[in-house]
Amino acid sequence: MRLEVLKTPAQRVGLACVALALVCSASLVAQSPFAPKVMGPLSQRVVAYQIDASYDPVQHAVDATETLTYRNLTGQPLSRFPFHLYLNAFQPKSTWMREAHRDGRFRLSRFETWEPKYYGSNEVTSFEVVGIGDLTKQMKFISPDDGNPDDKTVFEVQLPRPVAPGQDVQFKIKFRAKFPEVVARTGYKRTFLLAGQWFPKVGVWWHGAWNCHQFHALTEFFADFGTYDVRITLPKNYVLGATGIQTSDSDNGNGTKTVAFHAEDVHDFAWTADPNFRVIESEFDGSVGPVKIRLLSYTGHKSSWQRYVDALKATMQRFDQWYGPYPYAQITVVDPPHGGEEAGGMEYPTFITAGTDWFAFKGDHETELVTEHEFGHQYWYGMVATNEFENGWLDEGINSYTEAKVLDNMYGRNASNLNLLGAQMGDASVLRSYYLPVAETDSLARPSYTDMSLRSYGGVTYGKAASMLLTLETVIGAQTLRNALHVYFMKYRFTHPTQEDFLRTVNEVAGQNLNWYWQQAVYGTQVFDYAVLRADSTPTNWHEKDVKEKPGETMYETQVILQRKGDFIFPVEAEIKFDNGESARERWDGKDRWVRYVYRKKAQIRSVEIDPDHRILLDRNYLNNSYTTEPQRAAIHKIAAYWMFLTQMLGHILSWLV
Amino acid sequence: MTDEHGGLVAAGAHLVWRRRSVLWWVFIVNIALGVLGTLPAARQLHHTVRHTLAGEQLVKGFDLGMFYELLRLPEVNLFRFTVSSYLFASFFAIFMLFVSGGILEAYRQDRRLNTGDFFAASGGFFWRFVRLALMSLILFALLGDAYLGVEKASDYFGDKAVPDQVGFVIWIVGLIILGLLTLLVRLWFDIAKVRAVARNERSMLPNVVKAFDISRGQLGTLLWMYLRISLVAWITLLVAFLIWTKLPPTAIWATFILLELVMLVQLGARLWQMASATVWYQRQAEAVPTEIELPTPKLEEVTEAEPQLSLYPETELPAADD
């Protein structure tokens, strides 16, 4: 390692001592952060964070010292370094808060008015560069995305001399993190704390430039892989969980304890603490060895403990089999307390937060869904570390797609989301329902943080992306797409691929150029809507007088016209059924505005249906996808019966009041 | 509970059964208005799914995704037809307000009134009952406000407590208390209605005060009476719900019949409450032998065959010893 920045012998000796201490401490780590058959390093370790933090549960604040060693692998000298201070987003004039207020709400929280409980901050009290000195006064807040002068979520420091390619530079940062009452994946609730995005984090040098966006309400994060050694001091009655594995737990003799964690080849570090946590442990036997499952939950959620563990194992099994191995030694699942739901449904490397209720119904698969979804992010975000600021769909969209595949496999396609009291809903239908209201707003390719609104971001990033991939299965097959995801995962894990990398991989594995599809579904906002325009049969001897139709004897000419109502061009299949039991399947390339099919046979048409297997999730209107010659009254009667009952009951209730 | 008071509920039920034509008519009107309230939505559904296979997903298991599609699509947009439901539900409430006078008169006389008599009684008391309804709505609104308070308290204390169920327990306890208070207000104004019919009261405010006065000594008895009838309605609803969960999704007609049976029981329970209140009022009037001079009710012409129970003065009865 060349240490040009650290020029004096004293500095070099000092750093050598630190390095020696690191090696020693690493050797003291009895347990590897990886599964037994995995040997690190797995990534280009650009960063190494050592953080010594002390948590004050009364103030909901952390005072910490961070030592960040950054390795310059950019191939060019670097003198400017940007850092994230994510917790500063929770201030009234921040860009995050502007966006959340603009769109009315963020997840479960409403931001119509400012409330002091939302306040959070990251305050850097000292910023030193080893070998250069104290640069605290050189720190400058910047707003690269929107120029908001009041946003303090990114600061940069200009070094007096650059860090040469291949060199390391070490930052020593003292900071105080003040947490909000739980909001946007971080914060406290009563004695519970989820510490996410809590420490100063360097940006990512990506495609020849620093990529260090402000914190936006719409999008999530992006960071480099590296190692984390974090020591947390807090009252000794607290139970902790964190990214990586726990390496030590020492009683300080003053009512506090210090717990140390170690993680490798991850790009973030989150932790949680609560004296009321109950720890449930289990193990998943994966293809690279056993993985420890550590669930942190509450007595009140006891009925969900087994559900969490079962859902996690079932998910890990399928991911292991379909996409690739989970290489870490442990996965920690945090079940937030009631009222702390904003901390739920979030992913951090080897550490996920889920969510349940004390009364969670069995047929409501929400608990399993969240567990599955967040574990899926270990692959699509955790290991395949795409830029969530810019390409949200690469993690949320692909993950939503795999969520539907896993849940469908577990519970059946029509009931994978809900199967309760006669009502059913498949997960793919839920994802499609996100997409339908915003189908014409933002393209997937648009930088996610610039999407029209939170609703549009959610609908497009999760719903449209998943629907787009599910629809793609009709072109290349479900197995081919699964193979493509496997190849994509194995090829790009522990790197930062782009959307082009993903699209190219699918093209390669499918063995066909799918750019016609990507242009519309990823880069465009074309409306997808195919419809049945006409379907009828007439006797071929219609011109004769007194035509008498006889079933099975009269020859009919059947006309079927399919129409492309939207701009999205896509090959569709249609099934035509006749009253003698015969049927025909037609495949239309969908390019023209309409197509006509004519049949001459001794049978009349009974029905025609586009996408008879219901695989095209992108179609905006399912109601015009079919036509039957015989009226279908059952559904009308069913809804009308319920509607009428509700009307009657409402009248009864009103009459009771007067 | 004494036998006498224990018999109130049974006597009320018998009265509803003897005058069951009232229930049938109320049920028929409820169905008719339900049909009218549903027609616009049904027509739209007819137009939209009559010739599509999409509806199959609603028939063979209720696919919420498809239902969402029906609600959401601009050309379908079933939500806009809820206006019609609200409208016809309101008509039913007005209808019930209108016929309450006739129903109570039929119960008071315990004989079948001819159409003219029934509607004469209905019309005669309509505006008086409107005034009563407005007064009761003020109280119901206050109870609604109190419910918001319960929700806030539930959120506040639930938020502070570590166990998950604290908020829920506060909410459910609050809900039960407010439910009982709501029932109390209902029975109070029902007594006022019964009294107004029995005594042909014209001035509703003093009537409400008097109704409270005569019933307060037996509030527990009356509340228990109303509560038991309400419980029958709720238990029926629960049983029907359990049956409904066992029905195959394609059993549309069976579902329809089950729903309408539920509706019949709900309406029956309401009439049962009114009948029981009438019986209670008549019994408490009978219990006091002293007669006083009262103005002759206008409706005397049509009720001359009835025993003139209502001419007894009301006196507060000692509380039931149960």
Side-chain angles (χ1 to χ4, degrees):
Chain A
M1 188 165 57
R2 291 166 60 204
L3 298 172
E4 286 183 14
V5 174
L6 310 175
K7 288 200 168 172
T8 68
Q11 286 169 341
R12 291 182 182 181
V13 169
L15 193 67
C17 289
V18 170
L20 186 64
L22 269 173
V23 171
C24 291
S25 66
S27 66
L28 288 174
V29 174
Q31 199 188 337
S32 161
F34 300 119
K37 295 179 191 169
V38 178
M39 297 290 287
L42 303 174
S43 69
Q44 271 194 334
R45 294 177 179 175
V46 177
V47 291
Y49 286 89
Q50 287 177 284
I51 305 175
D52 206 335
S54 177
Y55 177 54
D56 177 350
V58 178
Q59 296 295 318
H60 307 295
V62 162
D63 286 295
T65 304
E66 172 182 319
T67 302
L68 162 61
T69 307
Y70 183 88
R71 177 167 295 174
N72 182 2
L73 299 175
T74 64
Q76 62 186 88
L78 294 177
S79 58
R80 188 177 70 85
F81 285 84
F83 289 81
H84 294 283
L85 289 177
Y86 285 113
L87 289 183
N88 285 342
F90 306 117
Q91 296 170 8
K93 294 180 178 177
S94 73
T95 292
W96 192 100
M97 206 52 83
R98 273 186 184 178
E99 292 170 352
H101 175 74
R102 177 195 69 196
D103 295 341
R105 64 188 306 159
F106 179 84
R107 287 164 45 127
L108 302 171
S109 303
R110 291 183 170 277
F111 291 96
E112 285 154 0
T113 54
W114 167 257
E115 290 183 41
K117 68 177 185 180
Y118 297 142
Y119 185 84
S121 64
N122 268 139
E123 189 188 349
V124 175
T125 52
S126 166
F127 188 97
E128 183 194 340
V129 181
V130 174
I132 291 178
D134 190 338
L135 294 182
T136 312
K137 289 183 180 170
Q138 310 296 319
M139 289 167 51
K140 194 174 82 175
F141 288 110
I142 57 170
S143 306
D145 298 337
D146 66 354
N148 175 6
D150 297 315
D151 189 78
K152 295 177 179 173
T153 56
V154 177
F155 76 90
E156 67 173 12
V157 172
Q158 187 75 41
L159 306 190
R161 52 180 179 273
V163 181
Q167 265 193 340
D168 285 1
V169 59
Q170 201 167 53
F171 304 96
K172 285 187 180 294
I173 306 165
K174 286 184 179 166
F175 68 94
R176 182 178 172 80
K178 171 88 177 71
F179 293 98
E181 185 168 302
V182 72
V183 61
R185 322 164 184 97
T186 194
Y188 68 89
K189 188 70 192 179
R190 297 182 292 275
T191 51
F192 166 80
L193 174 75
L194 176 67
Q197 311 304 332
W198 58 287
F199 59 94
K201 212 169 165 188
V202 70
V204 179
W205 184 269
W206 200 49
H207 299 295
W210 280 111
N211 196 292
C212 193
H213 290 281
Q214 296 161 250
F215 195 0
H216 294 274
L218 277 67
T219 50
E220 296 181 296
F221 315 106
F222 189 41
D224 264 322
F225 285 97
T227 61
Y228 284 83
D229 285 284
V230 180
R231 287 158 45 86
I232 300 159
T233 301
L234 75 178
K236 66 179 184 184
N237 61 331
Y238 272 72
V239 178
L240 275 97
T243 296
I245 54 162
Q246 186 177 316
T247 52
S248 70
D249 184 347
S250 55
D251 191 334
N252 299 327
N254 58 358
T256 67
K257 64 178 177 181
T258 299
V259 184
F261 293 91
H262 175 70
E264 294 175 20
D265 300 310
V266 296
H267 52 71
D268 202 356
F269 185 93
W271 57 281
T272 186
D274 192 340
N276 298 305
F277 270 144
R278 297 287 171 271
V279 182
I280 299 95
E281 292 188 339
S282 188
E283 196 173 85
F284 167 71
D285 196 16
S287 61
V288 290
V291 178
K292 182 179 174 184
I293 294 171
R294 190 163 184 258
L295 168 65
L296 301 174
S297 184
Y298 295 87
T299 310
H301 293 176
K302 199 171 179 178
S303 60
S304 292
W305 291 353
Q306 196 58 45
R307 289 177 63 175
Y308 274 130
V309 172
D310 290 346
L312 189 58
K313 283 184 181 177
T315 304
M316 292 177 85
Q317 177 65 43
R318 285 162 177 81
F319 267 79
D320 190 70
Q321 206 177 325
W322 295 350
Y323 308 122
Y326 177 79
Y328 302 105
Q330 185 172 315
I331 177 79
T332 300
V333 183
V334 182
D335 171 26
H338 72 91
E341 290 81 6
E342 275 289 358
M346 186 54 197
E347 69 281 3
Y348 293 101
T350 77
F351 178 97
I352 60 175
T353 69
T356 191
D357 283 307
W358 61 272
F359 54 85
F361 297 107
K362 231 178 176 178
D364 177 359
H365 300 142
E366 185 68 16
T367 303
E368 288 80 3
L369 186 152
V370 179
T371 309
E372 192 287 336
H373 184 91
E374 305 313 332
F375 177 77
H377 275 305
Q378 295 305 311
Y379 287 64
W380 324 119
Y381 146 87
M383 288 182 271
V384 181
T386 47
N387 187 334
E388 293 184 292
F389 289 102
E390 298 179 12
N391 304 124
W393 75 275
L394 286 180
D395 64 300
E396 295 298 355
I398 292 175
N399 193 39
S400 295
Y401 166 76
T402 54
E403 166 198 305
K405 300 305 290 181
V406 170
L407 292 177
D408 284 2
N409 191 262
M410 284 164 68
Y411 302 110
R413 189 176 164 218
N414 295 327
S416 52
N417 187 284
L418 182 80
N419 190 9
L420 194 64
L421 303 171
Q424 295 183 328
M425 198 150 179
D427 196 46
S429 289
V430 175
L431 291 163
R432 177 179 141 79
S433 73
Y434 298 161
Y435 143 73
L436 289 177
V438 294
E440 297 157 47
T441 55
D442 295 304
S443 71
L444 289 172
R446 183 189 177 99
S448 306
Y449 70 91
T450 68
D451 279 354
M452 189 177 77
S453 62
L454 279 162
R455 191 174 184 225
S456 175
Y457 165 78
V460 169
T461 306
Y462 291 71
K464 183 179 178 182
S467 300
M468 180 273 286
L469 291 171
L470 286 161
T471 303
L472 180 64
E473 286 184 352
T474 65
V475 179
I476 64 172
Q479 187 57 48
T480 306
L481 189 49
R482 182 184 292 178
N483 293 345
L485 283 174
H486 168 69
V487 171
Y488 172 64
F489 171 71
M490 297 303 282
K491 186 174 177 184
Y492 290 104
R493 58 186 171 161
F494 305 107
T495 67
H496 303 303
T498 61
Q499 64 191 2
E500 283 68 33
D501 293 326
F502 173 74
L503 304 180
R504 195 183 321 110
T505 304
V506 179
N507 282 357
E508 285 168 7
V509 174
Q512 50 184 300
N513 186 343
L514 297 164
N515 291 352
W516 60 270
Y517 185 63
W518 307 132
Q519 282 303 328
Q520 300 176 97
V522 175
Y523 296 100
T525 55
Q526 283 91 332
V527 172
F528 192 127
D529 187 12
Y530 282 83
V532 177
L533 195 63
R534 178 180 172 181
D536 53 51
S537 303
T538 49
T540 51
N541 59 344
W542 60 273
H543 46 83
E544 294 172 9
K545 281 189 178 177
D546 302 325
V547 176
K548 287 182 182 172
E549 297 179 42
K550 290 181 184 171
E553 290 180 20
T554 309
M555 180 66 80
Y556 292 93
E557 183 173 280
T558 295
Q559 302 256 348
V560 172
I561 299 180
L562 310 181
Q563 184 188 20
R564 175 168 61 81
K565 296 182 83 172
D567 300 326
F568 201 116
I569 296 171
F570 190 83
V572 293
E573 203 168 55
E575 185 172 59
I576 299 97
K577 289 184 176 171
F578 296 90
D579 61 4
N580 62 353
E582 286 181 34
S583 66
R585 282 218 175 192
E586 304 287 354
R587 193 165 171 85
W588 176 34
D589 63 14
K591 287 178 181 167
D592 210 344
R593 271 292 170 186
W594 58 271
V595 67
R596 186 200 311 271
Y597 296 104
V598 181
Y599 308 89
R600 292 170 74 89
K601 55 175 69 192
K602 290 175 180 174
Q604 297 188 72
I605 188 168
R606 176 159 284 175
S607 68
V608 55
E609 184 174 23
I610 294 171
D611 182 29
D613 302 319
H614 307 144
R615 295 280 174 190
I616 298 179
L617 277 288
L618 279 180
D619 194 317
R620 280 196 70 181
N621 187 352
Y622 276 171
L623 296 168
N624 62 17
N625 278 18
S626 58
Y627 185 86
T628 61
T629 50
E630 293 294 316
Q632 305 292 304
R633 296 195 180 93
I636 303 166
H637 292 162
K638 189 169 186 174
I639 295 176
Y642 291 130
W643 193 291
M644 183 174 149
F645 174 72
L646 292 174
T647 304
Q648 288 174 271
M649 194 54 112
L650 181 65
H652 168 59
I653 291 166
L654 291 176
S655 74
W656 195 90
L657 290 173
V658 296
Chain B
M1 182 67 61
T2 62
D3 286 340
E4 185 194 351
H5 290 120
L8 277 174
V9 173
H14 286 140
L15 183 53
V16 172
W17 180 248
R18 284 196 299 276
R19 303 274 71 83
R20 57 186 173 276
S21 57
V22 171
L23 174 59
W24 298 133
W25 278 110
V26 167
F27 183 48
I28 287 166
V29 172
N30 182 263
I31 288 181
L33 292 174
V35 168
L36 290 172
T38 307
L39 266 181
R43 281 170 59 110
Q44 179 61 47
L45 277 171
H46 179 82
H47 178 71
T48 311
V49 299
R50 187 171 176 236
H51 284 288
T52 78
L53 293 167
E56 279 186 0
Q57 291 169 63
L58 295 170
V59 178
K60 299 171 184 167
F62 201 80
D63 187 325
L64 288 173
M66 183 51 71
F67 189 58
Y68 170 78
E69 206 118 334
L70 280 174
L71 293 177
R72 188 202 63 83
L73 279 176
E75 56 268 40
V76 186
N77 194 6
L78 283 182
F79 270 129
R80 68 193 147 124
F81 298 110
T82 52
V83 175
S84 161
S85 289
Y86 291 131
L87 190 68
F88 284 98
S90 304
F91 285 167
F92 180 73
I94 294 166
F95 164 78
M96 282 302 285
L97 191 63
F98 173 68
V99 297
S100 288
I103 292 170
L104 289 173
E105 186 60 24
Y107 286 165
R108 188 179 75 82
Q109 296 185 30
D110 194 7
R111 71 178 180 88
R112 183 172 185 166
L113 301 184
N114 63 41
T115 311
D117 293 344
F118 183 85
F119 284 109
S122 297
F125 288 101
F126 178 63
W127 290 111
R128 283 178 256 184
F129 285 2
V130 167
R131 293 205 294 279
L132 280 180
L134 290 174
M135 282 183 246
S136 67
L137 283 176
I138 292 169
L139 292 174
F140 285 132
L142 289 173
L143 287 170
D145 209 38
Y147 173 75
L148 296 179
V150 167
E151 273 200 334
K152 276 186 186 165
S154 151
D155 287 349
Y156 179 80
F157 291 109
D159 200 55
K160 298 271 177 226
V162 173
D164 291 53
Q165 294 88 342
V166 170
F168 175 74
V169 169
I170 292 171
W171 178 75
I172 203 79
V173 168
L175 198 66
I176 289 170
I177 293 169
L178 288 178
L180 289 173
L181 286 173
T182 307
L183 208 57
L184 206 61
V185 171
R186 180 67 274 157
L187 79 86
W188 171 20
F189 279 83
D190 278 355
I191 298 290
K193 280 183 179 175
V194 170
R195 186 177 181 275
V197 172
R199 298 171 60 87
N200 195 23
E201 285 282 0
R202 297 200 161 272
S203 200
M204 286 301 106
L205 193 55
N207 180 43
V208 167
V209 175
K210 190 66 184 169
F212 184 74
D213 210 30
I214 61 171
S215 55
R216 70 179 173 186
Q218 294 189 54
L219 274 185
T221 305
L222 286 167
L223 191 61
W224 178 231
M225 177 178 84
Y226 262 47
L227 189 60
R228 274 185 291 170
I229 298 170
S230 300
L231 284 175
V232 170
W234 282 104
I235 289 166
T236 311
L237 196 62
L238 186 67
V239 170
F241 176 73
L242 292 174
I243 295 170
W244 175 74
T245 59
K246 305 288 176 203
L247 288 174
T250 47
I252 295 165
W253 283 105
T255 303
F256 174 74
I257 289 165
L258 181 71
L259 293 176
E260 290 310 312
L261 282 175
V262 168
M263 208 56 243
L264 181 64
V265 173
Q266 297 296 314
L267 295 170
R270 176 68 190 118
L271 294 179
W272 190 1
Q273 287 176 337
M274 291 164 75
S276 300
T278 305
V279 173
W280 174 84
Y281 182 82
Q282 289 174 332
R283 284 187 187 176
Q284 74 89 29
E286 270 180 339
V288 182
T290 320
E291 282 192 22
I292 57 165
E293 205 60 41
L294 285 172
T296 310
K298 270 189 172 176
L299 295 170
E300 203 172 21
E301 289 168 21
V302 294
T303 62
E304 58 190 0
E306 65 163 329
Q308 293 299 303
L309 298 177
S310 64
L311 296 182
Y312 290 98
E314 301 134 347
T315 316
E316 194 177 317
L317 291 177
D321 55 2
D322 55 339

